[in-house]
Amino acid sequence: MFEQLLNWYTRERRDLPWRRGVDAYGVLVSEIMLQQTRVEVVIPYYQRFMQRFPRVEQLAEASLDEVYEYWAGLGYYRRARNLQAAAQAVVALGGFPTTLEGLRDLPGVGEYTAAAVFSIAFGKPAVALDGNAIRVLSRFFALTGTLTAPRRRDLIARVLPLIPEQQAGDFTQALMELGARLCVPRGARCLVCPLASGCQALAGGLVDSVPAPAPRARREKVDLLALRIRRGDQVLLERREDDPFLAGQWVTPWFADGEGVLDRYVSEFPGTPVRVGQVSHGVTFRDLRIEVWDWETSALDCGPERRWAGPGARLPRLASLVLGL
DNA sequence: CATGCGTGGGA
DNA sequence: TTCCCAAGCAT
């Protein structure tokens, strides 16, 4: 059923560094780096990383600081720590686990990555469900509605027996490559898709509505915020955009007990049409904790799900700026 | 099961 | 400018 897919993949596959006959270690490194990260971004990082740590033993023996150096800029730094821990586990085991469960037990390796390594590195059949594969398969089988955990298991069981013998690795990568290049979220190129003839979503006109978009947590901006930096329970600095006199300045707080500061503030300014919200975002640098507080303005009709969604993603950069790190 | 974790590119 | 989100995982 998926022969056309494999033919397409053989013909169209991109020449990527981790597709040049690398071992299980190379596959693992690439898969970890590729988690939530685009191929084009990963390529140079992968090459530098593999040049410095060509073998699993070298990664296992390296200092964590150096591993971080080579990871710097990639984001999701927990991956770097877990990857080295996984390398150490592999060395301790005397080699890579050869079962799906064994791979799954490595730190940083979840259902997807275990299946990917299992199939790509060892050529054994496994269904690696990443975002691409889920989209491709959901459309192919016209799976409407939310893909819950049990439905995912059903999907895996359904696809597993369809994996061509001796081509498990290619199958895994072909599914993802198709999702990345043709069966894209919007504007799928069905006219040139190798799976078009068997695609149930295409037949039913469901390509644009399947898979169901994940219910995204609704986030709204609020126009009042405070930023607080503390070490343990001690509040070091605070910045309050709502304060008529201190707006935009970094100040030491009135109350250094670390508790009740914002409640006390509101009681100091009883006319202020705000009520205290809660910490909406936080980041930790060594022993320093930076918190973003938000308010819910009483003037606006906002439900309890309302969340601050300002520059939260940029908080680490802001923090390093403020702290001189 | 919902949430947080980084970054850069495109709509 | 703003928002979305891309080869997920751990908690």
Side-chain angles (χ1 to χ4, degrees):
Chain A
M1 183 185 302
F2 288 114
E3 289 172 21
Q4 324 266 13
L5 173 63
L6 284 169
N7 290 338
W8 173 84
Y9 177 70
T10 301
R11 200 168 59 244
E12 301 287 338
R13 60 182 248 168
R14 290 167 289 184
D15 177 28
L16 303 173
W18 48 89
R19 286 182 177 166
R20 297 189 161 192
V22 304
D23 59 6
Y25 167 65
V27 173
L28 178 67
V29 171
S30 70
E31 288 302 334
I32 299 296
M33 286 188 172
L34 285 163
Q35 288 170 2
Q36 297 290 285
T37 311
R38 297 174 193 281
V39 167
E40 317 82 67
V41 175
V42 166
I43 290 174
Y45 282 91
Y46 177 83
Q47 290 174 323
R48 267 175 298 170
F49 195 92
M50 292 303 282
Q51 189 172 345
R52 171 60 186 84
F53 311 109
R55 290 155 27 89
V56 66
E57 292 82 5
Q58 291 166 284
L59 177 57
E61 293 167 2
S63 74
L64 182 54
D65 277 346
E66 188 178 10
V67 177
Y68 280 143
E69 277 182 38
Y70 282 80
W71 204 273
L74 254 190
Y76 286 138
Y77 297 95
R78 185 172 54 183
R79 294 184 298 175
R81 178 164 37 82
N82 282 337
L83 178 57
Q84 194 201 21
Q88 291 168 342
V90 167
V91 169
L93 289 169
F96 267 80
T98 53
T99 66
L100 213 43
E101 299 72 28
L103 289 166
R104 176 66 181 75
D105 286 338
L106 294 173
V109 175
E111 294 295 331
Y112 159 76
T113 305
V117 173
F118 193 67
S119 59
I120 297 172
F122 302 145
K124 299 180 184 172
V127 181
L129 288 186
D130 75 320
N132 288 310
I134 287 175
R135 185 169 56 254
V136 171
L137 295 171
S138 293
R139 285 173 175 168
F140 190 79
F141 295 119
L143 305 180
T144 58
T146 307
L147 200 60
T148 58
R151 292 188 70 195
R152 288 169 65 99
R153 283 193 291 275
D154 289 345
L155 179 58
I156 290 174
R158 185 175 184 181
V159 173
L160 193 57
L162 303 178
I163 297 176
E165 289 287 330
Q166 310 299 326
Q167 303 188 79
D170 283 345
F171 178 80
T172 292
Q173 297 185 80
L175 224 41
M176 295 191 286
E177 183 112 359
L178 189 75
R181 297 175 57 189
L182 299 185
C183 197
V184 292
R186 279 178 296 276
R189 303 170 59 189
C190 302
L191 289 180
V192 292
C193 179
L195 292 180
S197 65
C199 181
Q200 297 186 38
L202 180 59
L206 298 171
V207 173
D208 290 327
S209 55
V210 172
R216 191 155 293 285
R218 207 179 81 230
R219 296 187 171 201
E220 298 178 44
K221 280 192 283 190
V222 297
D223 47 6
L224 299 175
L225 63 89
L227 212 49
R228 169 189 290 179
I229 300 175
R230 63 181 171 86
R231 175 181 287 126
D233 288 336
Q234 182 189 10
V235 177
L236 303 178
L237 284 175
E238 208 168 52
R239 180 182 181 128
R240 322 174 60 96
E241 301 299 343
D242 61 314
D243 190 293
F245 304 106
L246 301 175
Q249 300 183 61
W250 287 96
V251 297
T252 52
W254 302 263
F255 316 102
D257 57 5
E259 294 295 330
V261 175
L262 300 177
D263 290 314
R264 187 67 182 276
Y265 176 82
V266 170
S267 66
E268 293 281 320
F269 298 88
T272 308
V274 302
R275 56 192 176 90
V276 175
Q278 50 188 317
V279 175
S280 66
H281 202 92
V283 61
T284 301
F285 274 82
R286 298 186 171 82
D287 62 337
L288 297 176
R289 177 72 182 172
I290 300 178
E291 295 172 345
V292 175
W293 291 69
D294 70 14
W295 279 263
E296 298 174 353
T297 71
S298 57
L300 300 176
D301 179 30
C302 43
E305 76 281 4
R306 182 188 182 92
R307 296 179 58 82
W308 183 76
R314 295 175 213 119
L315 193 54
R317 266 181 298 205
L318 174 62
S320 53
L321 204 64
V322 170
L323 300 175
L325 297 176

